[in-house]
Amino acid sequence: MKRILIVIPFLLSQALSSFAQEPATPNQIIPYNFQFYQKLNKQVYDTESRLHSSIKGFYADEPLLRARYEQLMKMGTDSMNQRSWLWRKLAEEHLIQVRDTDYTFYADFLADFQIGREFNESETVWKNTRGVQIGGTVGSKFSFYSNVFENQGVFANYLKDFINANQVVPSEMTGKFWGEVEDWSYATALLSFTPNKYLSLSLGYDKNFIGDGYRSLLLSDVAANYSFLRVRATLSNVQYQTILGYMLDPGAPLLTNDRRLGYRGKWAAIHYLDWNISNRLSFGFFQAVTWADAEPEGKRGFDFNYAHPFVFLRAVEGANAPSPDKMRLGFNAKYEVTPKTAVYGQFMFDEFTASEFFSNKGYWANKWAAQIGFRGSDLFNVENLNYLAEFNTVRPYTYAHFNRLSNYSAYNQPLAHPLGANFREVLGIMNYSYRRFDLQGQLMYARYGLDREGQNFGQDIFKSYETRSLDYGSRVGQGLKTNLYFAEVKASYLLNPKYNLRFELGGVYRRESTDVIGTQNTQLITFGLRSTFRNLYQDF
């Protein structure tokens, strides 16, 4: 708690790009939230124009998005400004809102109150979150945003198991986890500077996402926030993004018994080049390297060899031979089949041995991940009926490393898919919006292989791959065969579009079955008053 109290003033003095001021400023980023971004589908996936759809979040002043974004931010508001002050603060404006010729500022109280029932356990679940956010702009080049939350809650059975095993609330942070009630904090901050229309720099404590799908096998927002410096450069049909990040790993062994030194961490250099080849086709190249911040023999720190944005990291990583670092390469592609439908996919190489790959013997070190899906809007010519269908598969031992600190994770959670590795998954999502009403449904099925005691079949990316249970015959789903069924429906009514304040009713059905371990069922219904645009994942 003392650490949080020290960090909060720093976070409040930094900040993320403002997302609720109107009109949109040149450096304003729309925070990434899948359900909200679905409402931008027609503008993003348009065969008559080109937008770098795989790099989230989008800029609010993007000509293709500006009108739609401002329409969503004014949903249900009174353009004549004839309603009472109380009504405007509740349903139309920020709690505090200041606009001047040289700067803007806003502040809000953020609530996330939920209560529900887990029927199979006959238990009450609840969440009590109180937060605040501030944001604004200085001139036309600087913007800032920050939020902080204090949380208590009682979770459904499978989420309790995850928290107890990983000592972190999914997609959030660690805290005090004992007894029935969990207690934790969460904070976000980002400072953005846009010197011109070609370049944007951001310093933050937040998340990033690369891809056109619901999941990302390259870089997702599943894990907790981490510190990073992000640079984006755009030149016509090409956009380049480089991220230099620092992630903590609470599960890694401490170098000393002095806990005041804090958790150990890792560095990451993540580069992504996106090219809009035509109005319909785009292709992206991804490379990422992770390395431990410190080793028992001494502190290594940041490796400036990886800081150069225009270099193939594989060559640099190889120059460190014998390299203790972990390199990954990947691709992202999208093709807009019709004006309202796009096909997309990803492929990621974690490690590759050509001779073993073509021998078809299931060599353990041929580690890769693949995604294919399609998405669109106005299904059956129903306006604002959006849809997505997606398939993901990841080979065993992918994203893992011989050193836990250089695997592909942040704060005890994967940086790519929440299931880790050694799985196949198919999912579908539909979303429909009508004025202030929003409906969303999701179905998901996954098959994966868990570890038997004392064995490593490749699903847990936090285990060293040197403890693997086989060298040949490795295949997706090996180990304890497990089937996961997940269904979720949400219905909400928007109260204030500025910070997504809404009443929300939700239901979850989850069934995980393993031959040896047995079956775990969850039937859950919740109701609450919720706000902000955060993605908090529970579909795993």
Side-chain angles (χ1 to χ4, degrees), residues 89-366:
K89 293 303 176 184
L90 176 64
E92 299 181 2
E93 300 177 356
H94 294 289
L95 181 62
I96 300 174
Q97 186 166 292
V98 179
R99 176 170 291 278
D100 190 84
T101 55
D102 297 325
Y103 67 91
T104 64
F105 175 82
Y106 67 87
D108 294 292
F109 170 74
L110 302 178
D112 195 348
F113 304 136
Q114 287 180 281
I115 190 166
R117 189 73 173 172
E118 186 178 6
F119 294 102
N120 51 302
E121 297 290 334
S122 297
E123 291 185 357
T124 298
V125 298
W126 54 269
K127 186 177 182 181
N128 178 9
T129 293
R130 296 86 56 209
V132 294
Q133 69 172 9
I134 63 170
T137 60
V138 180
S140 61
K141 300 181 184 297
F142 289 93
S143 66
F144 61 93
Y145 174 84
S146 186
N147 64 37
V148 61
F149 300 88
E150 281 294 332
N151 315 265
Q152 291 82 37
V154 173
F155 290 89
N157 53 11
Y158 77 98
L159 294 174
K160 286 180 186 176
D161 293 341
F162 178 91
I163 293 170
N164 291 335
N166 298 280
Q167 291 298 294
V168 60
V169 175
S171 302
E172 298 191 65
M173 303 294 289
T174 190
K176 300 176 182 178
F177 304 141
W178 55 76
E180 289 297 317
V181 179
E182 320 291 2
D183 190 328
W184 73 102
S185 299
Y186 181 90
T188 298
L190 194 77
L191 175 67
S192 291
F193 173 58
T194 304
N196 53 56
K197 66 179 181 179
Y198 305 107
L199 187 65
S200 177
L201 299 91
S202 299
L203 177 65
Y205 184 70
D206 201 353
K207 306 178 184 184
N208 295 276
F209 191 99
I210 295 175
D212 289 283
Y214 175 68
R215 309 288 198 190
S216 176
L217 303 181
L218 303 180
L219 178 63
S220 79
D221 58 344
V222 167
N225 290 347
Y226 50 90
S227 300
F228 62 84
L229 171 66
R230 182 177 68 206
V231 180
R232 287 185 190 171
T234 305
L235 185 61
S236 184
N237 295 319
V238 175
Q239 187 170 89
Y240 188 86
Q241 175 176 270
T242 185
I243 299 169
L244 304 177
Y246 184 71
M247 297 97 172
L248 296 178
D249 189 346
L254 298 177
L255 292 178
T256 72
N257 292 326
D258 187 356
R259 303 188 66 88
R260 293 176 298 175
L261 296 179
Y263 298 131
R264 296 177 66 185
K266 72 183 71 176
W267 293 97
I270 303 169
H271 300 170
Y272 182 71
L273 177 69
D274 188 65
W275 178 27
N276 284 331
I277 301 172
S278 69
N279 283 6
R280 293 178 181 266
L281 178 64
S282 69
F283 183 81
F285 173 70
F286 171 89
Q287 55 179 352
V289 62
T290 50
W291 68 96
D293 181 36
E295 297 295 345
E297 59 271 15
K299 186 175 181 65
R300 177 181 177 185
F302 182 76
D303 190 334
F304 284 92
N305 289 311
Y306 295 126
H308 197 294
F310 301 107
V311 69
F312 286 99
L313 295 182
R314 180 62 181 172
V316 177
E317 187 257 350
N320 286 337
S323 176
D325 309 333
K326 185 57 184 173
M327 180 74 195
R328 295 168 181 88
L329 300 175
F331 307 94
N332 186 91
K334 173 201 67 181
Y335 183 76
E336 296 174 13
V337 182
T338 73
K340 296 181 180 180
T341 303
V343 177
Y344 61 88
Q346 291 183 336
F347 194 86
M348 192 279 300
F349 289 104
D350 189 304
E351 198 167 339
F352 179 72
T353 305
S355 59
E356 295 289 356
F357 181 84
F358 293 108
S359 69
N360 199 31
K361 294 181 181 179
Y363 185 52
W364 76 274
N366 281 327

Side-chain angles (χ1 to χ4, degrees), residues 3 24 42 58 170-171 191 242 350 440 450 452 463 487 495:
R3 185 182 306 156
K42 282 188 286 188
F58 301 143
S171 302
L191 175 67
T242 185
D350 189 304
Q440 179 165 299
L450 296 176
R452 296 184 177 92
K463 292 183 177 180
L495 295 175

Side-chain angles (χ1 to χ4, degrees), residues 508-529:
V508 168
Y509 171 81
R510 182 183 184 274
R511 177 183 174 88
E512 184 182 38
S513 59
T514 305
D515 292 339
V516 176
I517 301 175
T519 300
Q520 183 185 51
N521 289 316
T522 301
Q523 295 94 38
L524 177 68
I525 187 169
T526 59
F527 176 76
L529 176 67

